[in-house]
Amino acid sequence: PLTADFAWHRVSFSTALLLQVLPAVSLALALHLLPLAARWREQREHAAEAKRLREAAAVADLARQVTLAELKTLQAQVEPHFLYNTLAGIQYLVRHNAGLADRMLGRLHDYLRLALPAMRAPMSTLAQEFALAEAYLALMQMRLGERLTVTLDLPPALAERAFPPLMLGTLIENALHHGIEPKPGGGKAALAAF
């Protein structure tokens, strides 16, 4: 039969054994749990970084979409303005200088042949944009005469570089409208890629 002394002796023996084993068990548990805690913290940091990267990519994509929408809006504003002015110039020339009107109409055809597909494209190349700029500037030279001189410089190594469509045309149109047309003596339009 079990007596109270025996049970007490057993409890004190278990406590003594536990006190001897506890440091080793604690050390083993710590050695096992510390890497788990470090791995858990690392996984949380990776998840947080992945979330930040996804959010940054979403913001960048939204900014790109806004920029493209603004560019399309600007293109929609610039093209009719240019087209109306060119057609008005051709109409005037038909009455006063039919040969020049015919040449100007041919240049407008060249320009529109290049510009219309570019309006629908999400991206262009420098070669395409320089060709479009050259057609545009040829029309403007016909309109401004000797008041406008033009130089274009596109190194062959840069010809296939990606470039937003119709952006050069917008810059050139603003440069001519604000820089050359108001001057009685005109000026020079120089377009170079480097």
Side-chain angles (χ1 to χ4, degrees):
L2 294 175
T3 63
D5 291 338
F6 179 75
W8 178 254
H9 173 67
R10 189 170 182 161
V11 169
S12 64
F13 173 75
S14 297
T15 305
L17 181 63
L18 184 63
L19 288 176
Q20 287 178 349
V21 174
L22 188 61
V25 170
S26 297
L27 180 62
L29 193 58
L31 290 176
H32 183 68
L33 290 179
L34 286 176
L36 287 176
R39 195 173 327 136
W40 177 73
R41 186 179 63 234
E42 188 177 294
Q43 287 174 347
R44 281 186 24 167
E45 289 172 358
H46 283 299
E49 181 64 21
K51 182 180 177 186
R52 278 193 296 273
L53 289 174
R54 282 192 306 273
E55 289 171 353
V59 168
D61 186 51
L62 185 60
R64 184 186 60 78
Q65 290 175 9
V66 167
T67 302
L68 285 174
E70 289 172 348
L71 181 60
K72 292 294 181 188
T73 301
L74 184 60
Q75 290 167 353
Q77 292 170 356
V78 170
E79 292 306 316
H81 170 74
F82 161 71
L83 187 59
Y84 297 148
N85 285 344
T86 303
L87 289 173
I90 291 171
Q91 186 178 25
Y92 172 83
L93 288 174
V94 164
R95 291 186 213 121
H96 297 93
N97 187 342
L100 185 56
D102 184 55
R103 287 198 325 267
M104 194 168 191
L105 195 55
R107 294 289 187 175
L108 179 60
H109 174 268
D110 294 341
Y111 174 78
L112 291 175
R113 184 177 46 79
L114 294 168
L116 292 177
M119 286 179 182
R120 295 181 203 101
M123 193 55 70
S124 184
T125 64
L126 276 173
Q128 292 168 328
E129 293 304 305
F130 264 71
L132 188 60
E134 186 175 17
Y136 175 81
L137 287 167
L139 272 168
M140 296 308 290
Q141 277 183 306
M142 294 183 87
R143 201 174 107 205
L144 296 172
E146 293 183 11
R147 293 182 56 225
L148 175 63
T149 57
V150 175
T151 60
L152 299 171
D153 181 22
L154 176 62
L158 299 177
E160 293 307 311
R161 291 279 176 110
F163 202 80
L166 303 176
M167 182 179 250
L168 284 180
T170 303
L171 294 172
I172 293 168
E173 199 243 352
N174 282 330
L176 296 179
H177 180 71
H178 298 290
I180 293 178
E181 287 180 359
K183 291 182 179 179
K188 179 179 182 176
L191 182 60
F194 47 92

